[in-house]
Amino acid sequence: MIDFWLAAGLLLLVALAFLLIPVLRGRKAQTEEDRTSLNVALYQERLDELDSQHAAGTLTAEQFEAGRAEAARELLADTEGADNGRVSRLGKALPLVVAILVPALGFGLYLHWGASSKVELARELREQPRSIEEMTSRLERMVEAQPESAEGWYFLGRTYMAQDRPADAARAYEQAVKRGGREPELLGQWAQALYFASQKKLTPEVKALTEEALKADPNEITSLGLLGIAGFEEGRFQDAITYWGRLITQLPADDPSRGALQGGIDKAREKLKESGVAVEEPATAPAPTGAQLKVHVDLAASLKDKVQPGDSVFIFARATSGPPMPLAVKRMTVADLPVEVSLSDADAMMPQLKLSNFPQVQLVARISRSGNATAGEWIGSSSPLSTGTSDTQRLTIDSPDKK
């Protein structure tokens, strides 16, 4: 920010110069006017002296007239430019008032409508956060600067959950739902935060959110896991087996979460057997195969002189009907273009949101000088395509990023 304030200070000095120069000139004019007044007073004294000498007979009539004429010539010579001094004196206080008000008004307007916080935040985003607290602070400032960003609110909610702040996470997810729509994945995350914020109680609000999510998507992962946890905690072990059984079929065979889920299901079975209740096994289904998309990304020739080699390039896939946040992401630089990359379930930002969980996605490539994945300067995007396609998709960054 130092270079910004230096530039602003220089511009302010230039503006003040235009306002104060007339004032300084006015002071000079005032000095000239004071000198003129003195000359007029001396002229009057000279005339009085000539009148006295003429009355006393010391001066003849010719000498008296010659003295008056000489005094008049001297007065005219000394008062040249006196009219300019009078004009410059008019309103000489106005520039001083304006010189004080303009900087104050400009500073106030900048504080109200300016973007100094966004400039500083963009600079911070270029650097890796040193702690989760620093990351949280950046995300909080990001959503304050961009309150309509559903991605920003979502990631803030995820960060709060990682810090064991479910109540704050619930509020962040609520904002994400308001801006990103009532997508099943967002509803599931919101319900999960509310569940832990209410000391693991399946409140009517939590139940309503999970029901809404599963009605829109019967395989919504977070809601299935949450209802399984709630069932186990409340002694409804058959519900736990049912929901966890449905969840485990959604995960790839190599997903590490499968072991923990299977362990929970086994414990629920044991609890039911101890109570003498027959276990109803959930219907099984084959684990979904992972999706993989190949993308060739290039930069339009018209933009090559408008970007820098070190600018970040984010290549990601997002669901055409689903959460607004990216499903799989890779980060490159402009110097790497053109480049061909593969986006797969291994590149998922979160285990719950994978390419294989969505039938259609949109590919996007964004150039961001600040290193912000959610907003940049230039962008290229594809039409919706199936996650099962095997053909290499070509993507050209050629349009301004209007987000």
Side-chain angles (χ1 to χ4, degrees), residues 326-348:
L327 305 176
V329 182
K330 284 197 173 176
R331 181 172 183 171
M332 317 293 288
T333 64
V334 169
D336 298 320
L337 300 178
V339 67
E340 185 169 315
V341 301
S342 294
L343 297 176
S344 66
D345 286 348
D347 302 307

Side-chain angles (χ1 to χ4, degrees), residues 281-301:
E281 297 294 340
T284 59
T289 57
Q292 186 177 53
L293 296 174
K294 295 180 180 178
V295 191
H296 181 275
V297 181
D298 200 357
L299 179 67

Side-chain angles (χ1 to χ4, degrees), residues 301-307:
S302 59
L303 299 182
K304 291 184 178 180
D305 59 341
K306 299 180 181 180
V307 296

Side-chain angles (χ1 to χ4, degrees), residues 111-331:
L111 290 179
H112 184 71
W113 283 299
S116 60
S117 60
K118 293 184 179 180
V119 173
E120 183 65 21
L121 180 60
R123 293 188 177 187
E124 288 185 13
L125 289 174
R126 296 179 185 178
E127 303 176 359
Q128 291 294 329
R130 290 166 290 187
S131 64
I132 191 170
E133 290 77 13
E134 184 176 345
M135 179 185 294
T136 304
S137 176
R138 291 185 185 182
L139 287 172
E140 289 172 341
R141 293 170 58 194
M142 180 185 294
V143 297
E144 182 179 355
Q146 301 175 353
E148 296 304 316
S149 173
E151 294 98 328
W153 285 109
Y154 179 83
F155 289 123
L156 181 59
R158 294 287 299 177
T159 306
Y160 282 148
M161 288 297 290
Q163 293 180 287
D164 195 22
R165 298 168 59 183
D168 293 332
R171 287 189 288 270
Y173 286 132
E174 182 179 6
Q175 296 299 322
V177 169
K178 287 181 180 179
R179 283 136 178 99
R182 302 186 72 82
E183 299 294 339
E185 292 78 10
L186 291 178
L187 295 175
Q189 295 288 339
W190 185 9
Q192 179 177 255
L194 287 173
Y195 175 76
F196 287 104
S198 60
Q199 306 301 318
K200 295 185 178 181
K201 293 180 181 178
L202 191 63
T203 63
E205 183 179 10
V206 173
K207 187 175 181 180
L209 288 172
T210 54
E211 288 178 351
E212 182 181 354
L214 291 175
K215 183 178 180 180
D217 180 8
N219 297 323
E220 201 285 299
I221 292 176
T222 305
S223 297
L224 290 174
L226 174 59
L227 291 174
I229 293 173
F232 192 93
E233 292 288 336
E234 296 175 3
R236 295 181 286 105
F237 300 112
Q238 183 58 61
D239 287 345
I241 293 172
T242 300
Y243 287 118
W244 283 341
R246 289 169 57 183
L247 171 58
I248 205 171
T249 62
Q250 308 303 315
L251 303 177
D254 58 348
D255 194 304
S257 302
R258 292 176 65 91
L261 286 171
Q262 190 61 54
I265 292 173
D266 293 340
K267 288 182 181 179
R269 285 198 187 102
E270 292 176 4
K271 293 290 185 181
L272 286 177
K273 290 178 181 179
E274 291 174 0
S275 62
V277 178
V279 178
E280 297 179 12
E281 297 294 340
T284 59
T289 57
Q292 186 177 53
L293 296 174
K294 295 180 180 178
V295 191
H296 181 275
V297 181
D298 200 357
L299 179 67
S302 59
L303 299 182
K304 291 184 178 180
D305 59 341
K306 299 180 181 180
V307 296
Q308 298 179 5
D311 291 349
S312 297
V313 179
F314 294 94
I315 306 169
F316 57 92
R318 60 188 175 195
T320 56
S321 179
M325 61 287 303
L327 305 176
V329 182
K330 284 197 173 176
R331 181 172 183 171

